[in-house]
Amino acid sequence: QGPSPASALHRMARKAKQPAAVAPADASADALSIAVAASALLLTVLLLRWKRSQKSAVVLRTSAEPPRKPAAGKGPMTILWGSQTGTAEGFASVLMREARQHGYAARSVDLEELEPDELADTRGPVVFLLATQGEGDPTDNAVAFYKWASESSRGADELAAISFAAFGLGNRQYEHFNSMGKWVDMRLPQLGATRLLELGLGDDDANIEADFEAWRASLWSMLCPLDAGEIGAPQPNFAAEIVESAPATGPHPPVAWLQVMFPKQKLVASELLVSRELCQDASQGSVRHMELATAAGQDKPWLRYDGADDLAVLCDNGSDLAAGTAERLGLSPRATFRLRPLSGGVGDLPGPSPPLPTPCAVADALRYYADLRAPVSKQMLLLLSEHTSDPAQAARLAHLASAAGKDEYTEYVHAQERGLAELLNEFPASAPPFGPLLELVPKLSPRYYTISSASSLDPATLHMTVKVIREPMRGAPH
Protein backbone atom coordinates (compact mmCIF):
# COMPACT_ATOMS: atom_id res chain seq x y z
CA GLN A 1 0.00 0.00 0.00
CA GLY A 2 1.58 3.21 -1.18
CA PRO A 3 1.17 6.78 -0.01
CA SER A 4 -2.33 7.98 0.78
CA PRO A 5 -4.33 9.82 -1.90
CA ALA A 6 -3.95 12.95 0.20
CA SER A 7 -0.14 12.79 0.13
CA ALA A 8 0.49 11.07 -3.19
CA LEU A 9 0.32 12.49 -6.69
CA HIS A 10 -1.92 9.64 -7.80
CA ARG A 11 -3.57 6.48 -6.56
CA MET A 12 -1.38 3.66 -7.78
CA ALA A 13 -2.98 0.91 -9.82
CA ARG A 14 -1.06 -2.19 -8.75
CA LYS A 15 -1.97 -4.26 -11.75
CA ALA A 16 1.51 -3.99 -13.19
CA LYS A 17 3.22 -7.17 -14.23
CA GLN A 18 5.26 -5.03 -16.62
CA PRO A 19 5.22 -1.57 -15.05
CA ALA A 20 6.80 1.20 -16.86
CA ALA A 21 9.44 3.75 -16.10
CA VAL A 22 11.82 5.70 -13.87
CA ALA A 23 13.17 9.25 -14.42
CA PRO A 24 15.50 11.93 -12.97
CA ALA A 25 14.93 15.66 -13.11
CA ASP A 26 16.14 18.97 -11.75
CA ALA A 27 14.95 20.32 -8.40
CA SER A 28 11.79 22.41 -8.20
CA ALA A 29 9.39 23.71 -5.59
CA ASP A 30 6.63 21.32 -6.66
CA ALA A 31 6.70 17.69 -5.64
CA LEU A 32 5.74 16.79 -9.20
CA SER A 33 8.38 18.99 -10.75
CA ILE A 34 11.04 17.33 -8.66
CA ALA A 35 10.03 14.07 -10.27
CA VAL A 36 9.43 14.89 -13.89
CA ALA A 37 8.36 18.33 -15.06
CA ALA A 38 11.63 20.25 -15.03
CA SER A 39 13.55 17.81 -17.20
CA ALA A 40 13.45 17.28 -20.94
CA LEU A 41 15.05 13.86 -20.59
CA LEU A 42 13.60 11.15 -18.40
CA LEU A 43 15.36 8.06 -17.20
CA THR A 44 12.94 5.18 -17.45
CA VAL A 45 13.01 1.59 -16.35
CA LEU A 46 11.12 -1.56 -17.23
CA LEU A 47 10.05 -3.20 -14.00
CA LEU A 48 9.30 -6.72 -15.13
CA ARG A 49 9.58 -7.55 -11.47
CA TRP A 50 10.59 -5.51 -8.45
CA LYS A 51 13.81 -7.28 -7.48
CA ARG A 52 16.82 -6.47 -6.81
CA SER A 53 42.10 3.00 -11.38
CA GLN A 54 43.05 3.73 -7.85
CA LYS A 55 45.46 6.57 -6.83
CA SER A 56 46.88 7.35 -3.43
CA ALA A 57 43.86 8.01 -1.27
CA VAL A 58 43.14 10.82 1.12
CA VAL A 59 40.62 9.94 3.81
CA LEU A 60 37.77 12.43 4.10
CA ARG A 61 36.74 13.82 7.45
CA THR A 62 36.75 11.10 10.11
CA SER A 63 36.02 10.95 13.80
CA ALA A 64 38.75 11.37 16.38
CA GLU A 65 36.75 9.22 18.78
CA PRO A 66 37.79 5.59 19.30
CA PRO A 67 35.37 3.00 17.90
CA ARG A 68 32.58 2.11 20.30
CA LYS A 69 32.75 -1.34 21.79
CA PRO A 70 29.88 -3.48 20.50
CA ALA A 71 27.46 -5.05 22.93
CA ALA A 72 28.01 -8.61 24.07
CA GLY A 73 27.19 -11.19 21.45
CA LYS A 74 23.60 -12.39 21.46
CA GLY A 75 23.75 -14.61 18.40
CA PRO A 76 22.17 -14.23 14.96
CA MET A 77 19.10 -12.28 13.89
CA THR A 78 17.50 -12.38 10.44
CA ILE A 79 15.45 -9.46 9.16
CA LEU A 80 13.30 -10.35 6.14
CA TRP A 81 11.67 -7.58 4.16
CA GLY A 82 9.07 -7.26 1.44
CA SER A 83 9.24 -3.81 -0.11
CA GLN A 84 7.78 -2.17 -3.21
CA THR A 85 8.84 1.45 -2.87
CA GLY A 86 11.85 1.03 -0.56
CA THR A 87 10.32 1.94 2.80
CA ALA A 88 10.41 -1.56 4.29
CA GLU A 89 13.94 -2.04 2.97
CA GLY A 90 14.99 1.20 4.66
CA PHE A 91 13.35 0.13 7.91
CA ALA A 92 15.24 -3.17 7.69
CA SER A 93 18.55 -1.31 7.44
CA VAL A 94 17.69 0.77 10.51
CA LEU A 95 16.70 -2.32 12.47
CA MET A 96 19.83 -4.23 11.41
CA ARG A 97 22.12 -1.42 12.58
CA GLU A 98 20.33 -1.23 15.92
CA ALA A 99 20.43 -5.02 16.31
CA ARG A 100 24.18 -5.02 15.82
CA GLN A 101 24.53 -2.30 18.43
CA HIS A 102 22.57 -4.54 20.79
CA GLY A 103 24.98 -7.40 20.12
CA TYR A 104 23.15 -9.41 17.45
CA ALA A 105 24.89 -10.69 14.34
CA ALA A 106 22.02 -9.28 12.30
CA ARG A 107 21.52 -9.46 8.57
CA SER A 108 18.91 -7.82 6.34
CA VAL A 109 17.57 -10.14 3.64
CA ASP A 110 15.43 -9.41 0.59
CA LEU A 111 12.60 -11.97 0.76
CA GLU A 112 13.24 -12.72 -2.89
CA GLU A 113 16.72 -13.95 -1.94
CA LEU A 114 15.35 -16.30 0.73
CA GLU A 115 15.10 -20.01 0.06
CA PRO A 116 11.82 -20.66 1.91
CA ASP A 117 12.70 -24.27 2.71
CA GLU A 118 15.73 -22.99 4.66
CA LEU A 119 13.62 -20.79 6.93
CA ALA A 120 12.95 -23.64 9.36
CA ASP A 121 16.69 -23.90 10.10
CA THR A 122 17.18 -20.18 10.74
CA ARG A 123 18.81 -19.50 14.10
CA GLY A 124 17.89 -16.59 16.34
CA PRO A 125 14.95 -14.19 16.10
CA VAL A 126 13.40 -13.72 12.67
CA VAL A 127 11.82 -10.33 11.98
CA PHE A 128 9.41 -9.74 9.08
CA LEU A 129 8.88 -6.24 7.68
CA LEU A 130 6.14 -6.58 5.08
CA ALA A 131 4.51 -3.92 2.95
CA THR A 132 1.13 -4.44 1.30
CA GLN A 133 0.37 -3.29 -2.21
CA GLY A 134 -2.72 -3.00 -4.37
CA GLU A 135 -5.71 -4.99 -3.21
CA GLY A 136 -3.98 -6.61 -0.27
CA ASP A 137 -1.25 -8.22 -2.38
CA PRO A 138 2.34 -9.07 -1.45
CA THR A 139 5.09 -6.91 -2.88
CA ASP A 140 6.79 -8.35 -5.94
CA ASN A 141 9.80 -9.57 -3.96
CA ALA A 142 7.56 -11.34 -1.42
CA VAL A 143 5.35 -13.26 -3.88
CA ALA A 144 7.41 -16.47 -3.86
CA PHE A 145 7.50 -16.62 -0.05
CA TYR A 146 3.77 -15.87 0.14
CA LYS A 147 2.96 -18.72 -2.23
CA TRP A 148 5.26 -21.12 -0.37
CA ALA A 149 3.86 -20.34 3.08
CA SER A 150 0.26 -20.40 1.83
CA GLU A 151 0.47 -23.93 0.40
CA SER A 152 -1.96 -26.27 2.12
CA SER A 153 0.70 -28.99 2.12
CA ARG A 154 2.79 -27.12 4.71
CA GLY A 155 2.96 -29.01 8.02
CA ALA A 156 1.67 -27.69 11.33
CA ASP A 157 5.16 -27.95 12.85
CA GLU A 158 7.17 -26.96 9.78
CA LEU A 159 8.45 -23.75 11.40
CA ALA A 160 8.35 -24.94 15.01
CA ALA A 161 12.03 -24.09 15.52
CA ILE A 162 11.76 -20.37 14.77
CA SER A 163 10.63 -17.39 16.82
CA PHE A 164 9.43 -14.32 14.96
CA ALA A 165 8.14 -10.78 15.18
CA ALA A 166 6.37 -8.89 12.41
CA PHE A 167 5.73 -5.29 11.42
CA GLY A 168 3.39 -4.41 8.57
CA LEU A 169 3.54 -1.33 6.37
CA GLY A 170 0.24 -0.08 4.95
CA ASN A 171 -2.21 2.78 4.61
CA ARG A 172 -5.60 2.97 6.30
CA GLN A 173 -7.17 4.65 3.28
CA TYR A 174 -6.88 1.34 1.47
CA GLU A 175 -9.50 -1.34 2.04
CA HIS A 176 -7.02 -4.15 2.72
CA PHE A 177 -4.98 -2.28 5.31
CA ASN A 178 -1.78 -4.10 6.18
CA SER A 179 -3.09 -7.44 4.95
CA MET A 180 0.42 -8.88 4.45
CA GLY A 181 1.53 -8.04 7.97
CA LYS A 182 -1.67 -9.56 9.36
CA TRP A 183 -1.25 -12.60 7.12
CA VAL A 184 2.30 -13.45 8.22
CA ASP A 185 1.38 -12.89 11.89
CA MET A 186 -1.48 -15.36 11.51
CA ARG A 187 0.13 -17.89 9.17
CA LEU A 188 3.47 -18.51 10.85
CA PRO A 189 1.95 -19.75 14.16
CA GLN A 190 -0.18 -22.11 12.07
CA LEU A 191 3.12 -23.57 10.87
CA GLY A 192 4.42 -23.91 14.42
CA ALA A 193 6.42 -20.66 14.77
CA THR A 194 6.47 -18.82 18.09
CA ARG A 195 5.35 -15.19 18.13
CA LEU A 196 7.76 -13.03 20.13
CA LEU A 197 5.87 -9.76 20.00
CA GLU A 198 2.47 -8.37 19.09
CA LEU A 199 2.14 -7.45 15.44
CA GLY A 200 3.10 -3.86 14.64
CA LEU A 201 0.98 -1.97 12.12
CA GLY A 202 2.47 1.03 10.36
CA ASP A 203 0.10 3.56 8.82
CA ASP A 204 1.51 5.72 6.03
CA ASP A 205 -1.61 7.90 6.17
CA ALA A 206 -0.49 9.06 9.62
CA ASN A 207 3.14 8.65 10.79
CA ILE A 208 4.55 5.30 9.79
CA GLU A 209 8.03 6.21 11.07
CA ALA A 210 6.64 6.86 14.55
CA ASP A 211 4.71 3.57 14.38
CA PHE A 212 7.92 1.73 13.51
CA GLU A 213 9.90 3.48 16.23
CA ALA A 214 7.35 2.53 18.90
CA TRP A 215 7.31 -1.07 17.71
CA ARG A 216 11.14 -1.23 17.68
CA ALA A 217 11.22 0.04 21.25
CA SER A 218 8.91 -2.82 22.28
CA LEU A 219 11.06 -5.30 20.37
CA TRP A 220 14.26 -4.25 22.13
CA SER A 221 12.54 -4.15 25.52
CA MET A 222 11.52 -7.75 24.98
CA LEU A 223 14.80 -9.03 23.46
CA CYS A 224 17.27 -6.89 25.42
CA PRO A 225 15.65 -5.87 28.72
CA LEU A 226 19.01 -4.97 30.27
CA ASP A 227 20.25 -2.74 27.47
CA ALA A 228 17.08 -1.59 25.72
CA GLY A 229 17.75 2.07 26.51
CA GLU A 230 19.01 4.74 24.16
CA ILE A 231 22.12 4.02 22.12
CA GLY A 232 24.48 6.21 20.14
CA ALA A 233 25.00 6.51 16.43
CA PRO A 234 25.72 3.20 14.69
CA GLN A 235 29.31 2.07 14.28
CA PRO A 236 30.38 3.15 10.76
CA ASN A 237 31.15 0.42 8.26
CA PHE A 238 32.85 2.58 5.61
CA ALA A 239 35.20 5.53 5.30
CA ALA A 240 35.14 7.78 2.24
CA GLU A 241 38.48 8.36 0.52
CA ILE A 242 39.29 10.80 -2.25
CA VAL A 243 40.89 8.97 -5.19
CA GLU A 244 40.80 11.71 -7.80
CA SER A 245 40.21 15.43 -7.39
CA ALA A 246 39.00 16.43 -10.86
CA PRO A 247 37.41 13.61 -12.84
CA ALA A 248 36.24 14.05 -16.39
CA THR A 249 32.61 15.11 -16.53
CA GLY A 250 30.45 12.09 -17.28
CA PRO A 251 27.03 11.87 -18.89
CA HIS A 252 24.01 13.12 -16.98
CA PRO A 253 22.09 11.27 -15.93
CA PRO A 254 24.84 8.62 -15.35
CA VAL A 255 22.71 5.72 -16.55
CA ALA A 256 25.39 3.02 -16.28
CA TRP A 257 26.19 4.00 -12.68
CA LEU A 258 22.51 4.18 -11.74
CA GLN A 259 21.98 0.76 -13.30
CA VAL A 260 24.35 -0.68 -10.69
CA MET A 261 22.21 0.86 -7.94
CA PHE A 262 19.04 -0.61 -9.46
CA PRO A 263 20.29 -4.00 -10.71
CA LYS A 264 16.84 -5.58 -10.91
CA GLN A 265 15.51 -2.92 -13.25
CA LYS A 266 16.34 -2.06 -16.83
CA LEU A 267 17.03 1.67 -16.94
CA VAL A 268 16.18 3.46 -20.17
CA ALA A 269 16.40 7.15 -21.08
CA SER A 270 13.15 8.58 -22.46
CA GLU A 271 12.39 12.04 -23.79
CA LEU A 272 9.59 14.10 -22.26
CA LEU A 273 7.57 15.15 -25.31
CA VAL A 274 4.57 16.94 -23.81
CA SER A 275 3.73 18.58 -20.48
CA ARG A 276 0.35 20.33 -20.82
CA GLU A 277 -1.93 21.89 -18.21
CA LEU A 278 -5.48 20.48 -18.27
CA CYS A 279 -7.15 22.92 -15.88
CA GLN A 280 -8.41 26.31 -17.00
CA ASP A 281 -7.37 27.86 -13.69
CA ALA A 282 -4.28 26.00 -12.45
CA SER A 283 -4.03 28.25 -9.40
CA GLN A 284 -7.00 26.37 -7.95
CA GLY A 285 -5.44 23.00 -8.65
CA SER A 286 -3.19 21.78 -11.44
CA VAL A 287 -3.55 18.56 -13.42
CA ARG A 288 -1.03 17.96 -16.17
CA HIS A 289 -0.99 15.68 -19.19
CA MET A 290 2.48 14.31 -19.93
CA GLU A 291 3.80 12.19 -22.76
CA LEU A 292 7.07 10.24 -22.90
CA ALA A 293 8.68 8.75 -25.97
CA THR A 294 8.87 4.97 -25.87
CA ALA A 295 11.41 4.97 -28.74
CA ALA A 296 8.99 3.13 -31.01
CA GLY A 297 9.97 3.26 -34.66
CA GLN A 298 13.30 1.60 -34.00
CA ASP A 299 13.61 -2.18 -33.88
CA LYS A 300 11.36 -2.34 -30.83
CA PRO A 301 9.98 0.13 -28.31
CA TRP A 302 12.17 0.59 -25.26
CA LEU A 303 9.13 0.69 -23.05
CA ARG A 304 6.45 -1.97 -23.20
CA TYR A 305 3.40 -1.55 -21.03
CA ASP A 306 -0.27 -2.29 -20.59
CA GLY A 307 -2.94 0.20 -19.59
CA ALA A 308 -2.98 0.99 -15.83
CA ASP A 309 0.56 -0.30 -15.36
CA ASP A 310 2.74 1.80 -13.08
CA LEU A 311 5.31 4.30 -14.28
CA ALA A 312 8.22 4.48 -11.85
CA VAL A 313 10.00 7.84 -11.95
CA LEU A 314 13.56 8.03 -10.69
CA CYS A 315 14.07 11.65 -9.67
CA ASP A 316 17.17 13.48 -8.47
CA ASN A 317 18.00 16.43 -6.22
CA GLY A 318 19.23 18.72 -8.96
CA SER A 319 22.79 19.95 -9.49
CA ASP A 320 22.48 23.07 -7.34
CA LEU A 321 21.34 21.28 -4.18
CA ALA A 322 23.97 18.56 -4.64
CA ALA A 323 26.77 21.09 -5.12
CA GLY A 324 25.61 23.21 -2.20
CA THR A 325 25.47 20.20 0.12
CA ALA A 326 28.94 19.08 -0.97
CA GLU A 327 30.36 22.51 -0.21
CA ARG A 328 28.61 22.55 3.17
CA LEU A 329 30.38 19.25 3.94
CA GLY A 330 33.71 20.73 2.88
CA LEU A 331 33.93 18.61 -0.27
CA SER A 332 34.50 19.44 -3.90
CA PRO A 333 31.47 18.31 -5.94
CA ARG A 334 33.87 17.22 -8.71
CA ALA A 335 35.99 15.05 -6.42
CA THR A 336 35.89 11.29 -6.92
CA PHE A 337 35.75 9.10 -3.84
CA ARG A 338 35.51 5.48 -2.90
CA LEU A 339 34.08 3.76 0.18
CA ARG A 340 36.64 1.68 2.07
CA PRO A 341 35.35 -0.98 4.50
CA LEU A 342 36.39 -0.30 8.09
CA SER A 343 35.80 -3.79 9.40
CA GLY A 344 34.89 -7.31 8.42
CA GLY A 345 31.67 -9.17 9.07
CA VAL A 346 29.70 -9.69 12.24
CA GLY A 347 30.02 -13.17 13.69
CA ASP A 348 30.01 -15.60 10.79
CA LEU A 349 28.32 -13.08 8.48
CA PRO A 350 30.14 -11.22 5.71
CA GLY A 351 30.65 -7.48 5.98
CA PRO A 352 27.87 -5.18 4.80
CA SER A 353 27.60 -4.07 1.20
CA PRO A 354 28.40 -0.41 0.48
CA PRO A 355 25.34 1.81 0.26
CA LEU A 356 26.20 2.88 -3.30
CA PRO A 357 28.69 1.87 -6.00
CA THR A 358 32.04 3.67 -5.89
CA PRO A 359 34.30 5.20 -7.12
CA CYS A 360 31.94 7.99 -8.08
CA ALA A 361 31.80 11.76 -7.97
CA VAL A 362 30.69 13.48 -4.76
CA ALA A 363 28.11 15.41 -6.80
CA ASP A 364 26.61 12.21 -8.25
CA ALA A 365 26.26 10.62 -4.80
CA LEU A 366 24.48 13.71 -3.49
CA ARG A 367 22.36 14.24 -6.59
CA TYR A 368 21.22 10.74 -7.55
CA TYR A 369 21.65 8.58 -4.42
CA ALA A 370 21.02 10.61 -1.25
CA ASP A 371 17.50 11.85 -0.59
CA LEU A 372 18.57 15.19 0.84
CA ARG A 373 15.03 16.41 1.54
CA ALA A 374 13.56 13.28 3.12
CA PRO A 375 13.06 13.44 6.90
CA VAL A 376 16.17 12.09 8.59
CA SER A 377 16.30 9.18 11.01
CA LYS A 378 17.24 9.46 14.66
CA GLN A 379 20.40 7.55 13.81
CA MET A 380 21.37 10.40 11.48
CA LEU A 381 20.64 12.96 14.21
CA LEU A 382 22.96 11.06 16.54
CA LEU A 383 25.69 11.03 13.91
CA LEU A 384 25.31 14.78 13.42
CA SER A 385 25.32 15.33 17.19
CA GLU A 386 28.48 13.31 17.75
CA HIS A 387 30.29 15.40 15.12
CA THR A 388 29.07 18.85 16.21
CA SER A 389 31.63 21.17 17.82
CA ASP A 390 29.12 23.54 19.43
CA PRO A 391 27.80 21.98 22.70
CA ALA A 392 24.39 23.62 22.45
CA GLN A 393 23.83 22.44 18.87
CA ALA A 394 25.08 18.94 19.74
CA ALA A 395 22.72 18.78 22.73
CA ARG A 396 19.76 19.90 20.61
CA LEU A 397 20.42 17.19 18.00
CA ALA A 398 20.86 14.54 20.68
CA HIS A 399 17.62 15.62 22.38
CA LEU A 400 15.67 15.30 19.12
CA ALA A 401 16.98 11.73 18.82
CA SER A 402 16.09 10.82 22.41
CA ALA A 403 12.96 9.29 23.87
CA ALA A 404 12.31 12.55 25.73
CA GLY A 405 12.38 14.44 22.43
CA LYS A 406 10.00 12.10 20.63
CA ASP A 407 7.21 14.64 20.12
CA GLU A 408 9.63 17.38 19.09
CA TYR A 409 11.29 15.03 16.61
CA THR A 410 7.92 14.19 15.07
CA GLU A 411 7.00 17.86 14.70
CA TYR A 412 10.40 19.32 13.82
CA VAL A 413 11.62 16.60 11.44
CA HIS A 414 8.59 14.77 10.07
CA ALA A 415 5.72 17.24 10.22
CA GLN A 416 7.93 20.06 8.94
CA GLU A 417 9.77 17.70 6.55
CA ARG A 418 13.32 18.61 7.48
CA GLY A 419 15.88 16.71 5.46
CA LEU A 420 19.64 16.42 5.72
CA ALA A 421 20.35 19.44 3.51
CA GLU A 422 18.31 21.75 5.73
CA LEU A 423 19.62 20.33 8.99
CA LEU A 424 23.22 20.86 7.87
CA ASN A 425 22.42 24.53 7.36
CA GLU A 426 20.52 24.88 10.64
CA PHE A 427 23.34 23.25 12.61
CA PRO A 428 26.45 24.84 11.08
CA ALA A 429 28.79 23.41 13.73
CA SER A 430 28.04 19.87 12.59
CA ALA A 431 30.73 18.28 10.42
CA PRO A 432 29.75 14.64 9.88
CA PRO A 433 32.12 12.24 8.07
CA PHE A 434 30.99 11.54 4.52
CA GLY A 435 31.14 7.72 4.60
CA PRO A 436 28.91 7.21 7.66
CA LEU A 437 26.63 9.98 6.40
CA LEU A 438 26.02 8.06 3.16
CA GLU A 439 25.23 4.93 5.17
CA LEU A 440 22.47 6.70 7.11
CA VAL A 441 20.96 9.12 4.59
CA PRO A 442 17.71 7.89 2.97
CA LYS A 443 18.10 6.59 -0.56
CA LEU A 444 16.19 8.26 -3.36
CA SER A 445 13.44 5.84 -4.36
CA PRO A 446 11.34 5.73 -7.53
CA ARG A 447 8.02 7.57 -7.51
CA TYR A 448 5.10 5.67 -9.01
CA TYR A 449 2.41 6.96 -11.38
CA THR A 450 -0.38 5.13 -13.15
CA ILE A 451 -0.12 5.11 -16.94
CA SER A 452 -3.15 6.65 -18.64
CA SER A 453 -2.59 5.46 -22.21
CA ALA A 454 -2.83 2.23 -24.17
CA SER A 455 0.18 1.01 -26.14
CA SER A 456 -2.18 -0.75 -28.56
CA LEU A 457 -3.46 2.66 -29.68
CA ASP A 458 -0.20 4.61 -29.60
CA PRO A 459 2.94 2.49 -29.15
CA ALA A 460 5.23 5.50 -29.70
CA THR A 461 4.28 7.35 -26.51
CA LEU A 462 3.36 6.73 -22.91
CA HIS A 463 0.92 9.12 -21.20
CA MET A 464 0.46 10.22 -17.59
CA THR A 465 -2.28 12.36 -16.08
CA VAL A 466 -0.90 13.78 -12.86
CA LYS A 467 -2.23 16.07 -10.17
CA VAL A 468 0.33 18.60 -8.98
CA ILE A 469 0.67 19.24 -5.26
CA ARG A 470 1.34 22.94 -4.84
CA GLU A 471 2.96 22.69 -1.44
CA PRO A 472 6.56 23.90 -1.74
CA MET A 473 9.11 21.55 -0.23
CA ARG A 474 11.33 22.96 2.51
CA GLY A 475 14.63 24.11 1.10
CA ALA A 476 13.50 23.83 -2.52
CA PRO A 477 14.04 26.78 -4.87
CA HIS A 478 10.95 28.93 -5.57
Side-chain angles (χ1 to χ4, degrees), residues 6-317:
S7 61
L9 303 186
H10 76 298
R11 180 180 175 93
M12 293 185 288
R14 294 294 190 178
K15 164 185 176 293
K17 298 301 180 184
Q18 295 182 348
V22 172
D26 291 333
S28 170
D30 292 328
L32 170 68
S33 298
I34 291 168
V36 289
S39 178
L41 186 70
L42 301 180
L43 179 65
T44 56
V45 58
L46 291 176
L47 303 173
L48 299 182
R49 293 186 68 189
W50 180 270
K51 296 195 177 201
R52 285 249 317 160
S53 69
Q54 298 181 356
K55 299 185 178 181
S56 59
V58 177
V59 180
L60 302 182
R61 186 180 297 112
T62 58
S63 171
E65 301 174 4
R68 287 178 291 275
K69 183 178 179 180
K74 292 186 174 67
M77 174 184 288
T78 303
I79 303 164
L80 301 170
W81 50 269
S83 185
Q84 196 71 20
T85 62
T87 303
E89 181 181 3
F91 282 5
S93 295
V94 170
L95 189 63
M96 179 185 70
R97 288 191 289 262
E98 287 187 351
R100 291 183 175 187
Q101 288 179 277
H102 283 293
Y104 283 97
R107 59 181 183 138
S108 170
V109 181
D110 183 339
L111 263 174
E112 192 167 53
E113 307 300 327
L114 174 74
E115 290 293 339
D117 290 330
E118 297 177 1
L119 182 59
D121 299 322
T122 301
R123 294 180 297 128
V126 179
V127 179
F128 289 84
L129 305 178
L130 296 183
T132 299
Q133 67 161 329
E135 302 302 317
D137 302 320
T139 57
D140 291 345
N141 72 319
V143 169
F145 172 74
Y146 176 77
K147 290 181 177 179
W148 176 88
S150 298
E151 291 175 355
S152 58
S153 60
R154 304 262 79 89
D157 60 351
E158 190 150 347
L159 299 180
I162 76 165
S163 300
F164 79 97
F167 181 83
L169 295 83
N171 188 304
R172 289 192 184 277
Q173 294 205 29
Y174 287 77
E175 178 182 358
H176 302 280
F177 172 63
N178 255 318
S179 65
M180 286 305 299
K182 296 173 182 177
W183 166 81
V184 78
D185 189 63
M186 173 196 70
R187 182 57 177 157
L188 264 60
Q190 293 175 350
L191 302 179
T194 299
R195 184 187 294 109
L196 292 171
L197 185 69
E198 182 180 353
L199 171 67
L201 297 177
D203 181 11
D204 190 54
D205 192 46
N207 189 336
I208 195 169
E209 289 82 7
D211 295 335
F212 183 53
E213 181 183 353
W215 181 82
R216 291 199 326 270
S218 297
L219 178 68
W220 298 132
S221 294
M222 185 271 301
L223 292 176
C224 312
L226 299 181
D227 65 343
E230 296 176 3
I231 52 181
Q235 186 78 11
N237 296 302
F238 297 92
E241 300 176 338
I242 292 292
V243 295
E244 188 176 352
S245 59
T249 301
H252 286 280
V255 179
W257 180 72
L258 286 166
Q259 185 67 78
V260 178
M261 281 203 293
F262 295 90
K264 299 174 182 178
Q265 303 162 325
K266 175 61 177 176
L267 298 182
V268 183
S270 274
E271 183 181 1
L272 178 60
L273 301 174
V274 176
S275 179
R276 184 174 69 247
E277 177 61 53
L278 298 180
C279 296
Q280 290 184 348
D281 183 4
S283 65
Q284 301 302 313
S286 173
V287 177
R288 301 196 69 85
H289 169 80
M290 295 183 171
E291 298 181 12
L292 307 181
T294 64
Q298 300 181 14
D299 293 340
K300 291 182 179 180
W302 287 346
L303 297 178
R304 295 181 179 276
Y305 68 93
D306 294 325
D309 276 355
D310 280 341
L311 177 73
V313 179
L314 181 60
C315 63
D316 72 74
N317 293 309

Side-chain angles (χ1 to χ4, degrees), residues 385-420:
S385 174
E386 292 179 7
H387 295 275
T388 296
S389 57
D390 180 87
Q393 293 182 28
R396 172 62 174 162
L397 288 164
H399 174 71
L400 289 169
S402 69
K406 176 182 176 181
D407 292 340
E408 291 177 70
Y409 169 78
T410 299
E411 174 62 26
Y412 183 76
V413 175
H414 281 281
Q416 299 183 26
E417 297 183 331
R418 274 182 170 83
L420 176 63

